[in-house]
Amino acid sequence: MSTMKKRLSVNNRTHDVDVDDQMPLLWVLRDELGLHGTKYGCGIGLCGACIVLIDDVAVKSCAITAARVQGEITTIEGVGSPREPHPVQLAWIEQQVAQCGYCQPGQIMTAIALLLQQSAPSDHDIDRVFASNLCRCATYRRIRRAVKEAAISLREGNDNA
């Protein structure tokens, strides 16, 4: 087992970690940095519960080692705030997406990444991007509605800027 020193930028803060060079980013976030919003689901990159953004791209944090990470990491803790939720979070609440809620951080991060790439995704676009995000409660229709609602909100917000 080999350890490494790594500087990570997470939610606009710099963190120096000294971890095993094969440690998945997920465990660095949860165990080393105390950011528990990113969830462990399957551990093999199939379920999407662990999705974070790296330079605004959705990445399964269980499937990438911290050693390989380059760029700004954004976790669910870095999205919005209680006083000013992100439009995706507001849409999630409005559409009552969450049931058990376990997969929702990964779902929300996926939605944000999608909306950074496409301002008006179609049903097909949403279904394609969310195909590897599993929800045991099967709230997929609500997820789709929430993504579309957030897209509208973000476009209107950008038009008013």
Side-chain angles (χ1 to χ4, degrees):
M1 175 165 43
S2 167
T3 62
M4 59 142 206
K5 292 183 188 285
K6 177 81 175 179
R7 178 164 284 173
L8 296 173
S9 180
V10 182
N11 301 329
N12 296 312
R13 294 186 62 210
T14 300
H15 301 273
D16 291 313
V17 296
D18 190 4
V19 297
D20 182 295
D21 63 358
Q22 294 302 305
M23 181 180 274
L25 176 60
L26 170 66
W27 298 118
V28 173
L29 295 171
R30 291 181 60 81
D31 295 348
E32 302 297 320
L33 303 182
L35 297 170
H36 299 120
T38 304
K39 302 300 182 199
Y40 172 77
C42 67
I44 56 174
L46 296 176
C47 74
C50 68
I51 289 180
V52 298
L53 303 184
I54 300 178
D55 289 339
D56 294 335
V57 174
V59 175
K60 293 175 180 173
S61 64
C62 75
I64 185 171
T65 63
R68 291 186 43 219
V69 173
Q70 305 253 334
E72 175 65 29
I73 302 162
T74 305
T75 69
I76 192 71
E77 291 92 346
V79 175
S81 71
R83 290 179 189 243
E84 289 188 47
H86 188 281
V88 171
Q89 292 169 315
L90 290 172
W92 244 245
I93 294 165
E94 179 67 27
Q95 294 299 322
Q96 299 179 3
V97 172
Q99 282 189 330
C100 82
Y102 194 82
C103 70
Q104 296 312 301
Q107 304 280 3
I108 289 169
M109 299 308 286
T110 299
I112 291 169
L114 171 61
L115 294 173
L116 286 168
Q117 297 295 315
Q118 293 182 266
S119 63
S122 67
D123 286 350
H124 174 74
D125 296 328
I126 295 166
D127 293 347
R128 179 183 45 80
V129 168
F130 282 85
S132 65
N133 283 60
L134 303 180
C135 175
R136 286 184 167 224
C137 302
T139 64
Y140 300 111
R141 288 183 181 162
R142 287 186 248 169
I143 289 168
R144 188 189 297 152
R145 285 194 310 263
V147 170
K148 288 185 164 208
E149 180 178 316
I152 292 166
S153 177
L154 286 165
R155 286 194 309 270
E156 289 174 355
N158 290 338
D159 292 343
N160 296 331

